[in-house]
């Protein structure tokens, strides 16, 4: 059987009229045959979509606008943009960016259907109640009756462009470092270890990230950090120490510790509960704003590995 070669993948990716699905399916086969679990997992997540609650790569966050009907003293106010400054910092970070979990196929279909339109995401009554509780804690006298999030379709176009660019850059780097890789894959005379080391290096450099036990994660420069968290299941002191060593503030760690035991039953190796997921998104916002000084590629994996080890899932 013919190997899925780098040249074919590059040709598909360099033609923006071609669906990303074809290129990623070929990349899936390539990753499996070369034996690179990190690349394979990333490709699968892009093809199938990310689980709700997963720690997303930063290129899968989209700008959005939130519209709410507020309720004050029994009266409903006309729909308006959500007053972000009235909420706590944790909630603001959740609301400011829309998390794009959809598969690349689903995103392509949205863009083809209505390229100049927008997507409306209504929110549940439970979510509105959570926002209302947060407002009360901030001393506000109004609550959120209903909420919808609007995302312009061109934001999804931007997400797909970033995905295409990252895989294309990786393939071009491989082609440059291993000019005979296609022929070597065909004849099965290839140094897989050398190729995989190169793939891992460029995945970090390009900030292609996956989460999970044993992954190598980006620290913001060209160095790496491995999954070396020493956290016993249920040991809060070890979790605190690990997060503090990674630059997470005492205040932020305290917020996590307060909620983490509430969601043990809701957590899997690929999905966190809503409170813990919200805390993670808040921390990712601090990375973007520069409040938490850590590389974007590293942040999600640092938080995920610490929490999963605390839960005994990694």
């Amino acid at each position: 059987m013919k190997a899925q070669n780098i040249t074919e993948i590059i040709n598909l990716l360099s033609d923006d009229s071609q669906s990303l699905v074809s290129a990623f399916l070929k990349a899936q086969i390539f990753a499996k045959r070369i034996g690179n679990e990190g690349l394979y997992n990333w490709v699968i997540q892009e093809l199938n979509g990310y689980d709700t609650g997963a720690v997303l790569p930063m290129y899968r966050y989209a700008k959005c606008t939130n519209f709410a009907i507020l309720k004050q003293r029994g009266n409903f106010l006309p729909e308006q943009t959500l007053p972000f400054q009235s909420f706590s910092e944790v909630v603001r970070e959740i609301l400011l960016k829309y998390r794009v979990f959809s598969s690349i196929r689903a995103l392509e279909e949205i863009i083809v259907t209505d390229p100049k339109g927008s997507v409306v995401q209504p929110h549940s009554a439970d979510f509105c109640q959570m926002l209302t509780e947060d407002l009360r804690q901030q001393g506000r006298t109004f609550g959120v009756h209903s909420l919808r999030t609007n995302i312009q379709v061109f934001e999804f176009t931007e997400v797909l462009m970033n995905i295409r660019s990252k895989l294309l850059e990786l393939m071009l780097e491989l082609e440059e470092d291993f000019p005979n890789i296609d022929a070597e894959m065909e004849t099965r005379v290839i140094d897989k270890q050398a190729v995989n080391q190169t793939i891992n290096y460029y995945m970090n450099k390009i900030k292609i990230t996956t989460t999970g036990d044993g992954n190598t994660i980006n620290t913001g420069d060209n160095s790496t950090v491995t999954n070396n968290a020493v956290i016993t299941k249920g040991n809060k002191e070890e979790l605190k120490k690990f997060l503090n060593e990674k630059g997470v503030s005492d205040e932020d760690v305290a917020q996590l510790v307060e909620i983490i035991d509430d969601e043990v039953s809701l957590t899997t190796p690929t999905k966190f509960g809503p409170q813990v997921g919200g805390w993670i998104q808040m921390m990712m916002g601090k990375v973007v704003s520069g409040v938490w000084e850590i590389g974007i590629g590293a942040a999600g994996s640092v938080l995920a590995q610490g929490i999963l080890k605390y839960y005994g899932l990694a």
Side-chain angles (χ1 to χ4, degrees):
M1 182 180 291
K2 182 180 178 182
Q4 303 302 308
N5 62 58
I6 300 298
T7 302
E8 286 180 315
I9 298 171
I10 289 173
N11 288 340
L12 286 168
L13 291 169
S14 59
D15 182 357
D16 61 10
S17 68
Q18 296 285 333
S19 167
L20 274 177
V21 174
S22 296
F24 269 78
L25 287 172
K26 290 182 181 294
Q28 178 186 353
I29 297 171
F30 168 76
K32 189 70 172 180
R33 289 180 174 168
I34 204 69
N36 192 290
E37 185 177 357
L39 177 59
Y40 184 83
N41 289 339
W42 175 68
V43 168
I44 287 294
Q45 288 180 108
E46 294 297 341
L47 282 170
N48 296 340
Y50 289 77
D51 289 335
T52 303
V55 180
L56 292 178
M58 289 307 297
Y59 60 77
R60 273 185 166 267
Y61 286 72
K63 296 177 182 177
C64 62
T65 305
N66 293 279
F67 297 95
I69 295 177
L70 304 178
K71 186 176 182 180
Q72 187 171 37
R73 298 186 179 91
N75 297 316
F76 295 104
L77 305 179
E79 188 177 59
Q80 59 188 278
T81 55
L82 197 66
F84 285 107
Q85 295 307 315
S86 297
F87 293 93
S88 66
E89 183 179 358
V90 173
V91 172
R92 287 201 302 270
E93 296 294 348
I94 295 172
L95 293 169
L96 281 171
K97 290 286 187 179
Y98 180 78
R99 293 174 289 167
V100 183
F101 295 103
S102 302
S103 67
I104 54 179
R105 170 68 79 189
L107 294 176
E108 288 178 338
E109 289 178 353
I110 292 171
I111 293 166
V112 169
T113 301
D114 191 6
K116 294 184 179 180
S118 61
V119 172
V120 178
Q121 173 67 58
H123 293 278
S124 68
D126 287 345
F127 186 72
C128 293
Q129 182 60 36
M130 183 272 288
L131 296 180
T132 298
E133 291 297 326
D134 185 77
L135 288 167
R136 288 174 181 168
Q137 291 176 16
Q138 308 310 309
R140 310 298 180 181
T141 60
F142 60 90
V144 178
H145 174 71
S146 65
L147 177 71
R148 62 183 175 92
T149 298
N150 276 34
I151 312 97
Q152 297 298 313
V153 170
F154 65 74
E155 291 287 340
F156 298 137
T157 303
E158 186 73 18
V159 170
L160 287 180
M161 287 178 60
N162 276 310
I163 295 170
R164 182 185 296 272
S165 176
K166 288 182 182 298
L167 183 57
L168 178 58
E169 186 174 352
L170 176 61
M171 294 296 109
L172 289 171
E173 295 286 8
L174 282 177
E175 183 183 56
E176 182 176 352
D177 285 5
F178 300 92
N180 299 316
I181 189 170
D182 287 343
E184 291 171 354
M185 287 288 289
E186 289 285 350
T187 59
R188 299 186 180 182
V189 181
I190 187 169
D191 186 345
K192 289 187 177 182
Q193 182 177 0
V195 173
N196 281 319
Q197 287 176 346
T198 301
I199 290 173
N200 294 338
Y201 170 78
Y202 284 119
M203 285 184 70
N204 277 308
K205 181 180 178 182
I206 301 167
K207 293 184 173 61
I208 296 174
T209 59
T210 57
T211 59
D213 191 30
N215 287 335
T216 300
I217 55 178
N218 190 340
T219 62
D221 51 26
N222 288 332
S223 59
T224 59
V225 176
T226 56
N227 190 345
N228 58 357
V230 180
I231 302 171
T232 306
K233 181 180 178 180
N235 191 315
K236 287 189 174 69
E237 293 306 314
E238 290 178 351
L239 177 63
K240 290 178 184 178
K241 180 181 178 182
F242 169 73
L243 293 175
N244 284 153
E245 288 175 349
K246 302 303 181 184
V248 181
S249 71
D250 290 337
E251 180 182 357
D252 290 329
V253 172
Q255 289 181 8
L256 174 64
V257 167
E258 186 176 348
I259 62 175
I260 194 167
D261 287 338
D262 296 339
E263 299 187 334
V264 175
S265 63
L266 303 178
T267 303
T268 71
T270 59
K271 182 179 179 180
F272 294 109
Q275 292 186 87
V276 172
W279 181 85
I280 290 173
Q281 301 308 323
M282 179 269 292
M283 292 305 302
M284 297 303 290
K286 290 193 173 188
V287 176
V288 175
S289 65
V291 175
W292 181 23
E293 295 183 358
I294 189 173
I296 290 175
S301 294
V302 164
L303 300 177
Q305 72 165 277
I307 294 169
L308 289 175
K309 282 184 176 291
Y310 176 83
Y311 285 137
L313 297 173

